[in-house]
Protein backbone atom coordinates (compact mmCIF):
# COMPACT_ATOMS: atom_id res chain seq x y z
CA UNK A 1 0.00 0.00 0.00
CA UNK A 2 1.30 3.45 -0.96
CA UNK A 3 1.53 6.38 1.47
CA UNK A 4 0.83 9.47 -0.64
CA UNK A 5 2.04 13.06 -0.15
CA UNK A 6 0.36 16.18 -1.60
CA UNK A 7 0.73 16.03 -5.37
CA UNK A 8 1.52 12.31 -5.33
CA UNK A 9 0.01 10.10 -8.03
CA UNK A 10 -1.20 6.51 -8.05
CA UNK A 11 -2.24 4.47 -11.13
CA UNK A 12 -5.62 2.85 -10.49
CA UNK A 13 -6.62 -0.68 -11.43
CA UNK A 14 -9.57 -1.27 -13.72
CA UNK A 15 -13.02 -1.43 -12.19
CA UNK A 16 -14.50 0.27 -9.17
CA UNK A 17 -12.44 2.14 -6.58
CA UNK A 18 -13.62 3.05 -3.09
CA UNK A 19 -12.29 6.01 -1.13
CA UNK A 20 -13.16 6.24 2.54
CA UNK A 21 -12.57 8.94 5.17
CA UNK A 22 -13.36 7.62 8.66
CA UNK A 23 -14.05 10.01 11.51
CA UNK A 24 -16.31 13.04 12.14
CA UNK A 25 -16.35 14.06 8.48
CA UNK A 26 -18.78 14.33 5.58
CA UNK A 27 -17.57 13.05 2.22
CA UNK A 28 -18.67 14.64 -1.06
CA UNK A 29 -17.55 14.49 -4.68
CA UNK A 30 -17.83 16.55 -7.87
CA UNK A 31 -17.83 14.94 -11.31
CA UNK A 32 -16.30 17.26 -13.93
CA UNK A 33 -14.67 17.42 -17.33
CA UNK A 34 -11.15 18.68 -18.07
CA UNK A 35 -12.31 22.26 -17.54
CA UNK A 36 -13.09 21.52 -13.90
CA UNK A 37 -16.79 22.38 -14.12
CA UNK A 38 -19.83 20.22 -13.49
CA UNK A 39 -22.32 19.74 -16.32
CA UNK A 40 -25.25 20.16 -13.92
CA UNK A 41 -26.27 19.92 -10.28
CA UNK A 42 -26.53 16.14 -10.68
CA UNK A 43 -22.73 15.97 -10.84
CA UNK A 44 -22.48 16.90 -7.14
CA UNK A 45 -22.60 13.80 -4.91
CA UNK A 46 -23.20 14.52 -1.22
CA UNK A 47 -25.60 13.89 1.70
CA UNK A 48 -28.85 14.50 0.04
CA UNK A 49 -27.81 13.46 -3.46
CA UNK A 50 -25.84 10.31 -2.73
CA UNK A 51 -25.60 8.90 -6.24
CA UNK A 52 -24.68 9.91 -9.77
CA UNK A 53 -23.84 7.70 -12.75
CA UNK A 54 -20.70 5.84 -11.76
CA UNK A 55 -20.47 7.31 -8.24
CA UNK A 56 -22.30 6.29 -5.05
CA UNK A 57 -21.89 7.58 -1.50
CA UNK A 58 -22.68 5.39 1.49
CA UNK A 59 -21.72 6.81 4.86
CA UNK A 60 -18.02 7.68 4.86
CA UNK A 61 -17.24 5.74 1.67
CA UNK A 62 -17.48 6.88 -1.95
CA UNK A 63 -17.36 4.21 -4.66
CA UNK A 64 -16.42 5.34 -8.17
CA UNK A 65 -16.54 3.20 -11.29
CA UNK A 66 -14.89 5.32 -14.00
CA UNK A 67 -16.38 3.34 -16.87
CA UNK A 68 -19.90 4.23 -15.68
CA UNK A 69 -19.37 7.97 -15.22
CA UNK A 70 -21.50 10.21 -17.44
CA UNK A 71 -20.26 10.96 -20.94
CA UNK A 72 -17.43 13.50 -20.96
CA UNK A 73 -16.46 13.06 -17.31
CA UNK A 74 -12.69 12.96 -16.83
CA UNK A 75 -12.30 13.86 -13.16
CA UNK A 76 -13.89 13.10 -9.78
CA UNK A 77 -12.79 15.44 -6.97
CA UNK A 78 -13.22 14.13 -3.42
CA UNK A 79 -13.81 16.62 -0.59
CA UNK A 80 -14.42 16.38 3.16
CA UNK A 81 -16.06 18.78 5.59
CA UNK A 82 -16.82 18.53 9.31
CA UNK A 83 -19.89 16.51 10.19
CA UNK A 84 -20.79 19.17 12.74
CA UNK A 85 -21.68 22.42 10.94
CA UNK A 86 -19.68 25.52 11.81
CA UNK A 87 -16.68 23.49 12.93
CA UNK A 88 -13.23 24.26 11.57
CA UNK A 89 -11.28 21.27 10.31
CA UNK A 90 -8.37 22.39 12.49
CA UNK A 91 -10.35 21.42 15.57
CA UNK A 92 -10.69 17.80 14.38
CA UNK A 93 -8.24 14.96 13.81
CA UNK A 94 -6.56 15.15 10.40
CA UNK A 95 -8.76 13.39 7.84
CA UNK A 96 -7.13 10.33 6.30
CA UNK A 97 -8.15 9.06 2.87
CA UNK A 98 -8.14 5.26 2.42
CA UNK A 99 -8.22 3.94 -1.16
CA UNK A 100 -9.24 0.35 -1.99
CA UNK A 101 -9.94 -1.65 -5.14
CA UNK A 102 -13.19 -3.42 -6.06
CA UNK A 103 -12.30 -6.40 -3.86
CA UNK A 104 -11.59 -4.21 -0.85
CA UNK A 105 -7.80 -4.55 -1.07
CA UNK A 106 -6.03 -1.38 0.16
CA UNK A 107 -4.21 0.60 -2.52
CA UNK A 108 -3.11 3.82 -0.83
CA UNK A 109 -3.53 6.16 2.09
CA UNK A 110 -3.20 9.93 2.28
CA UNK A 111 -3.14 12.21 5.34
CA UNK A 112 -2.78 15.88 4.37
CA UNK A 113 -1.09 18.53 6.52
CA UNK A 114 -3.35 19.53 9.39
CA UNK A 115 -5.90 22.17 8.26
CA UNK A 116 -6.46 25.38 10.24
CA UNK A 117 -9.53 27.54 9.64
CA UNK A 118 -10.69 25.71 6.53
CA UNK A 119 -14.19 24.20 6.58
CA UNK A 120 -13.78 22.07 3.43
CA UNK A 121 -10.73 20.20 2.20
CA UNK A 122 -10.14 18.77 -1.28
CA UNK A 123 -8.44 15.48 -0.46
CA UNK A 124 -7.90 13.86 -3.84
CA UNK A 125 -9.00 13.63 -7.43
CA UNK A 126 -9.47 10.64 -9.69
CA UNK A 127 -8.57 11.69 -13.23
CA UNK A 128 -8.18 10.16 -16.67
CA UNK A 129 -4.96 10.21 -18.64
CA UNK A 130 -5.40 8.58 -22.02
CA UNK A 131 -7.25 5.33 -21.41
CA UNK A 132 -6.08 4.97 -17.79
CA UNK A 133 -7.31 6.46 -14.52
CA UNK A 134 -5.05 7.73 -11.76
CA UNK A 135 -5.47 9.24 -8.30
CA UNK A 136 -3.74 12.44 -7.21
CA UNK A 137 -3.44 13.53 -3.56
CA UNK A 138 -4.44 17.18 -3.06
CA UNK A 139 -4.95 18.82 0.35
CA UNK A 140 -6.43 22.16 -0.82
CA UNK A 141 -8.68 23.94 1.71
CA UNK A 142 -11.74 26.17 1.45
CA UNK A 143 -12.84 28.58 4.18
CA UNK A 144 -16.41 29.23 3.00
CA UNK A 145 -17.92 25.77 3.23
CA UNK A 146 -19.49 23.45 0.70
CA UNK A 147 -21.40 26.32 -0.91
CA UNK A 148 -18.14 28.07 -1.84
CA UNK A 149 -16.65 24.84 -3.12
CA UNK A 150 -19.76 24.07 -5.15
CA UNK A 151 -19.80 27.52 -6.75
CA UNK A 152 -16.20 27.17 -7.89
CA UNK A 153 -17.12 23.92 -9.63
CA UNK A 154 -20.19 25.42 -11.30
CA UNK A 155 -22.95 24.05 -9.06
CA UNK A 156 -26.09 26.22 -8.82
CA UNK A 157 -26.24 27.57 -5.25
CA UNK A 158 -29.11 29.73 -4.01
CA UNK A 159 -28.04 31.95 -1.12
CA UNK A 160 -31.43 33.00 0.20
CA UNK A 161 -35.02 31.81 -0.16
CA UNK A 162 -37.16 34.22 -2.17
CA UNK A 163 -38.81 36.95 -0.15
CA UNK A 164 -42.25 38.52 -0.36
CA UNK A 165 -43.15 39.66 -3.84
CA UNK A 166 -40.87 37.20 -5.62
CA UNK A 167 -42.18 35.01 -8.38
CA UNK A 168 -41.32 31.72 -6.72
CA UNK A 169 -38.56 29.42 -5.57
CA UNK A 170 -36.63 29.72 -8.80
CA UNK A 171 -35.33 26.17 -8.91
CA UNK A 172 -32.73 25.81 -6.13
CA UNK A 173 -29.71 23.64 -6.69
CA UNK A 174 -28.58 20.88 -4.32
CA UNK A 175 -27.10 23.41 -1.88
CA UNK A 176 -29.14 26.34 -0.56
CA UNK A 177 -27.77 29.10 1.63
CA UNK A 178 -24.64 27.11 2.48
CA UNK A 179 -26.74 24.07 3.39
CA UNK A 180 -24.94 20.84 4.21
CA UNK A 181 -27.84 18.58 3.44
CA UNK A 182 -31.32 18.49 1.96
CA UNK A 183 -33.08 20.98 -0.26
CA UNK A 184 -35.64 23.60 0.71
CA UNK A 185 -37.95 26.09 -0.94
CA UNK A 186 -39.98 28.98 0.43
CA UNK A 187 -42.50 31.25 -1.26
CA UNK A 188 -45.15 33.83 -0.42
CA UNK A 189 -48.80 33.15 -1.03
CA UNK A 190 -49.50 31.43 -4.36
CA UNK A 191 -51.50 33.51 -6.81
CA UNK A 192 -53.42 30.59 -8.29
CA UNK A 193 -56.81 29.90 -6.76
CA UNK A 194 -56.77 26.78 -4.56
CA UNK A 195 -58.50 23.74 -5.98
CA UNK A 196 -60.40 21.66 -3.46
CA UNK A 197 -59.20 18.23 -4.44
CA UNK A 198 -56.44 15.80 -3.55
CA UNK A 199 -53.94 14.64 -6.14
CA UNK A 200 -54.40 11.10 -7.37
CA UNK A 201 -52.33 8.58 -5.49
CA UNK A 202 -51.48 10.94 -2.66
CA UNK A 203 -52.60 8.60 0.10
CA UNK A 204 -50.12 6.37 1.92
CA UNK A 205 -49.16 3.18 0.13
CA UNK A 206 -50.53 0.04 1.66
CA UNK A 207 -48.49 -2.56 3.53
CA UNK A 208 -46.69 -5.28 1.64
CA UNK A 209 -48.77 -8.33 0.99
CA UNK A 210 -48.62 -11.22 3.41
CA UNK A 211 -45.75 -13.57 2.74
CA UNK A 212 -44.84 -16.92 4.21
CA UNK A 213 -41.37 -17.07 5.78
CA UNK A 214 -38.71 -18.07 3.30
CA UNK A 215 -36.82 -21.35 3.76
CA UNK A 216 -33.42 -21.00 5.40
CA UNK A 217 -31.30 -23.98 4.42
CA UNK A 218 -28.03 -22.27 5.41
CA UNK A 219 -29.17 -21.15 8.85
CA UNK A 220 -28.73 -17.41 8.16
CA UNK A 221 -31.67 -16.32 10.30
CA UNK A 222 -30.54 -18.47 13.22
CA UNK A 223 -27.05 -16.96 13.12
CA UNK A 224 -28.19 -13.33 12.93
CA UNK A 225 -30.95 -13.79 15.50
CA UNK A 226 -28.48 -15.25 17.95
CA UNK A 227 -26.34 -12.11 17.49
CA UNK A 228 -29.38 -9.83 17.77
CA UNK A 229 -30.60 -11.54 20.93
CA UNK A 230 -27.18 -11.01 22.51
CA UNK A 231 -27.62 -7.22 22.23
CA UNK A 232 -31.31 -7.14 23.08
CA UNK A 233 -32.69 -6.68 19.55
CA UNK A 234 -35.83 -8.58 18.48
CA UNK A 235 -35.47 -11.43 15.96
CA UNK A 236 -35.96 -10.97 12.23
CA UNK A 237 -37.61 -13.41 9.83
CA UNK A 238 -36.60 -14.26 6.29
CA UNK A 239 -38.98 -12.73 3.75
CA UNK A 240 -39.13 -14.35 0.29
CA UNK A 241 -39.48 -10.95 -1.43
CA UNK A 242 -36.29 -9.71 0.18
CA UNK A 243 -34.59 -13.00 -0.70
CA UNK A 244 -35.68 -12.54 -4.33
CA UNK A 245 -34.40 -8.96 -4.44
CA UNK A 246 -31.14 -9.98 -2.77
CA UNK A 247 -30.59 -12.74 -5.30
CA UNK A 248 -31.26 -10.46 -8.26
CA UNK A 249 -28.75 -7.92 -6.96
CA UNK A 250 -26.11 -10.52 -6.12
CA UNK A 251 -26.43 -11.95 -9.64
CA UNK A 252 -26.08 -8.48 -11.16
CA UNK A 253 -22.99 -7.68 -9.07
CA UNK A 254 -21.38 -10.99 -9.95
CA UNK A 255 -22.05 -10.46 -13.66
CA UNK A 256 -20.22 -7.12 -13.59
CA UNK A 257 -17.55 -8.20 -11.12
CA UNK A 258 -18.13 -5.26 -8.76
CA UNK A 259 -19.96 -4.30 -5.58
CA UNK A 260 -22.39 -1.39 -5.46
CA UNK A 261 -25.91 -0.27 -4.62
CA UNK A 262 -26.31 0.32 -8.37
CA UNK A 263 -25.59 -2.60 -10.68
CA UNK A 264 -24.27 -2.31 -14.21
CA UNK A 265 -27.81 -2.47 -15.61
CA UNK A 266 -28.59 0.82 -13.84
CA UNK A 267 -30.90 -0.70 -11.22
CA UNK A 268 -30.44 0.26 -7.56
CA UNK A 269 -30.85 -2.33 -4.83
CA UNK A 270 -33.73 -0.31 -3.31
CA UNK A 271 -35.59 -0.46 -6.62
CA UNK A 272 -35.23 -4.23 -6.56
CA UNK A 273 -36.80 -4.38 -3.09
CA UNK A 274 -39.81 -2.31 -4.16
CA UNK A 275 -40.01 -4.24 -7.44
CA UNK A 276 -40.19 -7.51 -5.51
CA UNK A 277 -43.34 -6.24 -3.77
CA UNK A 278 -41.88 -5.19 -0.41
CA UNK A 279 -42.82 -1.60 0.46
CA UNK A 280 -40.64 -0.54 3.38
CA UNK A 281 -40.49 2.07 6.10
CA UNK A 282 -36.76 1.61 6.62
CA UNK A 283 -34.14 -0.44 4.81
CA UNK A 284 -30.52 -1.53 5.13
CA UNK A 285 -28.14 -3.59 3.04
CA UNK A 286 -24.87 -5.51 3.16
CA UNK A 287 -23.01 -5.83 -0.16
CA UNK A 288 -19.92 -7.98 0.30
CA UNK A 289 -17.59 -10.16 -1.77
CA UNK A 290 -15.25 -12.83 -0.50
CA UNK A 291 -16.86 -15.00 2.21
CA UNK A 292 -17.57 -18.51 0.97
CA UNK A 293 -20.14 -19.65 3.52
CA UNK A 294 -23.05 -18.12 5.39
CA UNK A 295 -21.17 -18.44 8.68
CA UNK A 296 -18.17 -16.56 7.22
CA UNK A 297 -20.45 -13.84 5.86
CA UNK A 298 -22.21 -13.30 9.20
CA UNK A 299 -18.87 -13.34 11.02
CA UNK A 300 -17.57 -10.65 8.65
CA UNK A 301 -20.62 -8.47 9.30
CA UNK A 302 -20.29 -8.85 13.06
CA UNK A 303 -16.63 -7.84 13.18
CA UNK A 304 -16.96 -4.87 10.80
CA UNK A 305 -18.06 -1.45 12.02
CA UNK A 306 -21.16 -0.36 10.12
CA UNK A 307 -22.38 -3.78 9.01
CA UNK A 308 -22.56 -4.87 12.65
CA UNK A 309 -24.81 -1.91 13.48
CA UNK A 310 -27.13 -2.80 10.62
CA UNK A 311 -27.28 -6.46 11.65
CA UNK A 312 -28.12 -5.47 15.25
CA UNK A 313 -30.53 -2.63 14.40
CA UNK A 314 -33.78 -3.20 16.35
CA UNK A 315 -35.79 -1.28 13.74
CA UNK A 316 -35.64 -4.19 11.26
CA UNK A 317 -38.17 -7.01 11.30
CA UNK A 318 -37.36 -8.87 8.06
CA UNK A 319 -34.27 -9.93 6.18
CA UNK A 320 -33.28 -11.64 2.97
CA UNK A 321 -29.91 -12.94 1.80
CA UNK A 322 -28.40 -14.46 -1.33
CA UNK A 323 -24.94 -15.17 -2.69
CA UNK A 324 -23.60 -15.98 -6.14
CA UNK A 325 -20.24 -17.52 -7.00
CA UNK A 326 -19.81 -16.42 -10.56
CA UNK A 327 -18.64 -13.72 -12.90
CA UNK A 328 -15.29 -12.53 -14.26
CA UNK A 329 -13.52 -12.39 -10.89
CA UNK A 330 -14.65 -15.77 -9.59
CA UNK A 331 -15.53 -14.17 -6.24
CA UNK A 332 -18.61 -14.90 -4.17
CA UNK A 333 -20.96 -11.91 -4.11
CA UNK A 334 -23.36 -11.44 -1.22
CA UNK A 335 -26.42 -9.25 -0.79
CA UNK A 336 -28.22 -9.14 2.56
CA UNK A 337 -31.29 -6.90 2.92
CA UNK A 338 -32.92 -5.68 6.11
CA UNK A 339 -36.27 -3.92 6.29
CA UNK A 340 -39.39 -3.02 8.21
CA UNK A 341 -42.62 -3.06 6.15
CA UNK A 342 -44.48 0.12 5.36
CA UNK A 343 -47.95 0.12 6.95
CA UNK A 344 -50.46 2.96 7.36
CA UNK A 345 -49.75 3.03 11.10
CA UNK A 346 -46.00 2.96 10.52
CA UNK A 347 -46.18 5.79 8.00
CA UNK A 348 -48.35 7.86 10.33
CA UNK A 349 -45.93 7.15 13.17
CA UNK A 350 -42.94 8.28 11.11
CA UNK A 351 -44.73 11.49 10.09
CA UNK A 352 -45.73 12.13 13.69
CA UNK A 353 -42.13 11.60 14.81
CA UNK A 354 -40.86 14.12 12.24
CA UNK A 355 -43.51 16.61 13.40
CA UNK A 356 -42.64 16.05 17.06
CA UNK A 357 -38.91 16.49 16.47
CA UNK A 358 -39.60 19.62 14.41
CA UNK A 359 -41.74 21.07 17.19
CA UNK A 360 -39.04 20.35 19.75
CA UNK A 361 -36.67 22.48 17.71
CA UNK A 362 -39.28 25.24 17.53
CA UNK A 363 -39.84 25.05 21.29
CA UNK A 364 -36.10 25.52 21.89
CA UNK A 365 -36.35 28.69 19.81
CA UNK A 366 -39.38 29.91 21.76
CA UNK A 367 -41.79 29.31 18.86
CA UNK A 368 -45.26 27.72 18.98
CA UNK A 369 -45.67 24.18 17.62
CA UNK A 370 -46.83 23.37 14.11
CA UNK A 371 -50.13 21.55 13.79
CA UNK A 372 -50.48 18.56 11.46
CA UNK A 373 -52.45 19.50 8.35
CA UNK A 374 -54.17 16.79 6.26
CA UNK A 375 -53.99 18.73 2.96
CA UNK A 376 -50.32 19.56 3.38
CA UNK A 377 -49.74 15.94 4.39
CA UNK A 378 -51.43 14.70 1.21
CA UNK A 379 -49.31 17.00 -0.95
CA UNK A 380 -46.09 16.09 0.89
CA UNK A 381 -46.80 12.36 0.60
CA UNK A 382 -47.60 12.69 -3.08
CA UNK A 383 -44.33 14.53 -3.74
CA UNK A 384 -42.21 11.92 -1.95
CA UNK A 385 -43.95 9.15 -3.89
CA UNK A 386 -43.57 11.10 -7.14
CA UNK A 387 -39.82 11.53 -6.64
CA UNK A 388 -39.49 7.76 -6.34
CA UNK A 389 -41.85 6.94 -9.21
CA UNK A 390 -40.40 9.43 -11.72
CA UNK A 391 -36.80 9.19 -10.53
CA UNK A 392 -36.08 12.84 -9.73
CA UNK A 393 -35.09 14.89 -6.70
CA UNK A 394 -36.21 18.51 -6.80
CA UNK A 395 -38.81 21.00 -5.59
CA UNK A 396 -40.03 21.42 -9.16
CA UNK A 397 -41.55 18.21 -10.50
CA UNK A 398 -41.09 17.09 -14.12
CA UNK A 399 -44.55 18.47 -14.91
CA UNK A 400 -43.47 21.91 -13.65
CA UNK A 401 -45.48 21.86 -10.42
CA UNK A 402 -43.92 23.56 -7.41
CA UNK A 403 -44.60 23.27 -3.66
CA UNK A 404 -47.35 25.89 -3.59
CA UNK A 405 -48.98 24.37 -6.67
CA UNK A 406 -49.07 20.94 -5.02
CA UNK A 407 -50.42 22.37 -1.76
CA UNK A 408 -53.24 24.17 -3.58
CA UNK A 409 -54.05 21.10 -5.68
CA UNK A 410 -54.39 19.05 -2.50
CA UNK A 411 -56.94 21.50 -1.14
CA UNK A 412 -54.77 23.70 1.08
CA UNK A 413 -55.73 27.37 1.45
CA UNK A 414 -52.61 28.37 3.40
CA UNK A 415 -51.29 31.74 2.28
CA UNK A 416 -47.59 30.98 2.74
CA UNK A 417 -45.92 27.71 1.71
CA UNK A 418 -42.42 26.34 2.31
CA UNK A 419 -40.88 22.95 1.55
CA UNK A 420 -37.93 20.88 2.77
CA UNK A 421 -36.96 17.68 0.96
CA UNK A 422 -34.31 15.08 1.73
CA UNK A 423 -33.29 11.63 0.55
CA UNK A 424 -31.15 8.82 1.92
CA UNK A 425 -31.84 9.35 5.63
CA UNK A 426 -33.09 6.20 7.37
CA UNK A 427 -35.06 7.63 10.32
CA UNK A 428 -37.08 10.68 11.43
CA UNK A 429 -34.29 11.66 13.82
CA UNK A 430 -31.67 11.54 11.07
CA UNK A 431 -33.70 13.57 8.59
CA UNK A 432 -34.66 16.31 11.08
CA UNK A 433 -31.06 16.53 12.27
CA UNK A 434 -29.95 17.00 8.66
CA UNK A 435 -32.50 19.74 8.06
CA UNK A 436 -31.51 21.54 11.27
CA UNK A 437 -27.85 21.42 10.22
CA UNK A 438 -28.71 23.29 7.01
CA UNK A 439 -29.35 27.05 7.20
CA UNK A 440 -32.08 27.04 4.55
CA UNK A 441 -34.03 24.14 6.01
CA UNK A 442 -33.53 25.36 9.54
CA UNK A 443 -35.05 28.69 8.48
CA UNK A 444 -38.17 26.91 7.26
CA UNK A 445 -38.46 24.87 10.46
CA UNK A 446 -38.02 27.97 12.65
CA UNK A 447 -40.06 30.41 10.57
CA UNK A 448 -42.47 32.19 12.96
CA UNK A 449 -45.09 32.66 10.23
CA UNK A 450 -45.60 28.94 9.65
CA UNK A 451 -48.41 27.35 11.66
CA UNK A 452 -49.05 23.97 10.00
CA UNK A 453 -47.03 21.05 8.63
CA UNK A 454 -47.45 18.01 6.40
CA UNK A 455 -44.88 15.21 6.21
CA UNK A 456 -44.40 12.68 3.41
CA UNK A 457 -42.18 9.61 3.06
CA UNK A 458 -41.56 7.05 0.31
CA UNK A 459 -39.06 4.24 -0.03
CA UNK A 460 -37.32 3.15 -3.23
CA UNK A 461 -35.53 4.97 -6.01
CA UNK A 462 -31.82 5.66 -6.16
CA UNK A 463 -31.39 6.93 -2.60
CA UNK A 464 -33.67 4.46 -0.81
CA UNK A 465 -35.74 7.00 1.14
CA UNK A 466 -37.39 10.30 0.15
CA UNK A 467 -38.77 12.78 2.71
CA UNK A 468 -40.88 15.92 2.28
CA UNK A 469 -41.88 18.60 4.79
CA UNK A 470 -44.54 21.01 3.52
CA UNK A 471 -45.11 24.07 5.72
CA UNK A 472 -48.08 26.41 5.68
CA UNK A 473 -48.99 29.67 7.34
Amino acid sequence: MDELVPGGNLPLPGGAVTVRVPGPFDVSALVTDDGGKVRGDGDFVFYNQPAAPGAALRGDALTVEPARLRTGATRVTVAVSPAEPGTALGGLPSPTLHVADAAGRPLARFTPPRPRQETVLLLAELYRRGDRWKLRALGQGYADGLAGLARDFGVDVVDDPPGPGSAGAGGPGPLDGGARRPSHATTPAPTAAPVARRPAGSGPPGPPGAAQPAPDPDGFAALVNSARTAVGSPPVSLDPRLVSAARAHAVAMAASGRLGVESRDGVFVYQRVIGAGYAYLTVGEHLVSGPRTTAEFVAYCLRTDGPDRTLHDPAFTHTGVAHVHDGPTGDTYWTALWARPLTPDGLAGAAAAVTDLTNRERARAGLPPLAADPWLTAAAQAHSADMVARDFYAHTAPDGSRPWDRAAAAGSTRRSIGENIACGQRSPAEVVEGWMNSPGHRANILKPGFTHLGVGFAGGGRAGTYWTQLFGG
Side-chain angles (χ1 to χ4, degrees):
M1 181 177 69
D2 291 350
E3 290 283 352
L4 298 178
V5 298
N9 289 276
L10 172 75
L12 296 175
V17 175
T18 296
V19 295
R20 178 172 176 262
V21 186
F25 306 106
D26 298 334
V27 179
S28 55
L30 296 115
V31 181
T32 64
D33 53 24
D34 284 333
K37 298 295 184 181
V38 299
R39 178 174 293 179
D41 293 343
D43 282 346
F44 188 21
V45 179
F46 73 122
Y47 280 101
N48 205 44
Q49 192 165 271
L57 178 64
R58 292 289 294 147
D60 61 6
L62 174 77
T63 299
V64 178
E65 186 177 4
R68 289 185 58 79
L69 293 170
R70 57 119 172 127
T71 302
T74 59
R75 188 181 306 170
V76 179
T77 304
V78 181
V80 293
S81 54
E84 185 65 28
T87 301
L89 285 168
L92 301 174
S94 293
T96 297
L97 182 79
H98 299 264
V99 186
D101 65 13
R105 292 182 290 262
L107 298 174
R109 183 169 56 194
F110 170 55
T111 302
R114 190 178 187 85
R116 295 186 179 181
Q117 297 303 313
E118 294 92 340
T119 55
V120 176
L121 189 67
L122 302 186
L123 272 184
E125 63 179 5
L126 289 74
Y127 64 99
R128 190 175 68 196
R129 282 292 179 268
D131 60 352
R132 295 293 305 274
W133 281 78
K134 303 177 74 174
L135 180 139
R136 178 185 293 116
L138 297 176
Q140 174 187 349
Y142 277 74
D144 51 352
L146 282 183
L149 170 67
R151 285 190 188 94
D152 281 1
F153 279 79
V155 177
D156 180 21
V157 178
V158 177
D159 288 319
D160 297 297
S166 63
L175 283 177
D176 299 307
R180 286 170 61 265
R181 286 197 188 218
S183 188
H184 75 282
T186 307
T187 181
T191 57
V195 179
R197 66 175 185 271
R198 294 176 184 268
S202 64
Q212 296 297 319
D216 187 15
D218 297 325
F220 176 74
L223 288 170
V224 300
N225 283 332
S226 175
R228 288 171 66 86
T229 299
V231 298
S233 295
V236 293
S237 60
L238 278 172
D239 187 284
R241 295 161 296 183
L242 295 181
V243 172
S244 174
R247 174 158 293 279
H249 202 69
V251 168
M253 290 193 300
S256 62
R258 69 178 185 93
L259 298 172
V261 293
E262 180 188 14
S263 53
R264 191 177 291 277
D265 56 9
V267 180
F268 283 73
V269 66
Y270 318 113
Q271 294 170 319
R272 298 190 194 279
V273 174
I274 297 297
Y278 192 108
Y280 57 79
L281 188 62
T282 188
V283 69
E285 71 282 341
H286 289 142
L287 309 176
V288 177
S289 66
R292 305 295 295 223
T293 67
T294 298
E296 288 180 5
F297 172 70
V298 173
Y300 165 82
C301 294
L302 288 173
R303 70 173 180 264
T304 306
D305 187 38
D308 68 324
R309 292 194 298 273
T310 300
L311 189 151
H312 290 137
D313 193 332
F316 298 129
T317 58
H318 294 97
T319 188
V321 67
H323 63 279
V324 176
H325 183 73
D326 199 1
T329 66
D331 288 334
T332 301
Y333 288 83
W334 294 80
T335 299
L337 298 170
W338 311 82
R340 174 184 290 272
L342 180 66
T343 64
D345 286 347
L347 181 61
V354 170
T355 300
D356 179 64
L357 291 165
T358 298
N359 283 334
R360 292 185 194 181
E361 298 295 343
R362 288 177 64 88
R364 292 189 183 100
L367 296 170
L370 302 174
D373 182 291
W375 293 278
L376 295 178
T377 296
Q381 182 60 39
H383 191 56
S384 287
D386 194 29
M387 287 190 287
V388 172
R390 291 200 277 181
D391 191 22
F392 74 98
Y393 176 74
H395 296 295
T396 302
D399 60 8
S401 64
R402 295 173 295 178
W404 37 97
D405 302 321
R406 294 188 289 270
S412 173
T413 58
R414 302 292 167 194
R415 296 289 300 165
S416 180
I417 295 293
E419 183 178 81
N420 288 345
I421 57 176
C423 64
Q425 295 82 1
R426 302 299 174 91
S427 70
E430 185 180 350
V431 74
V432 173
E433 179 185 8
W435 281 325
M436 287 300 295
N437 284 338
S438 157
H441 310 90
R442 181 185 179 94
N444 271 346
I445 288 174
L446 301 183
K447 184 174 180 177
F450 286 146
T451 57
H452 290 75
L453 176 66
V455 177
F457 167 84
R462 296 170 179 266
T465 59
Y466 291 78
W467 305 82
T468 302
Q469 277 185 316
L470 197 58
F471 302 86

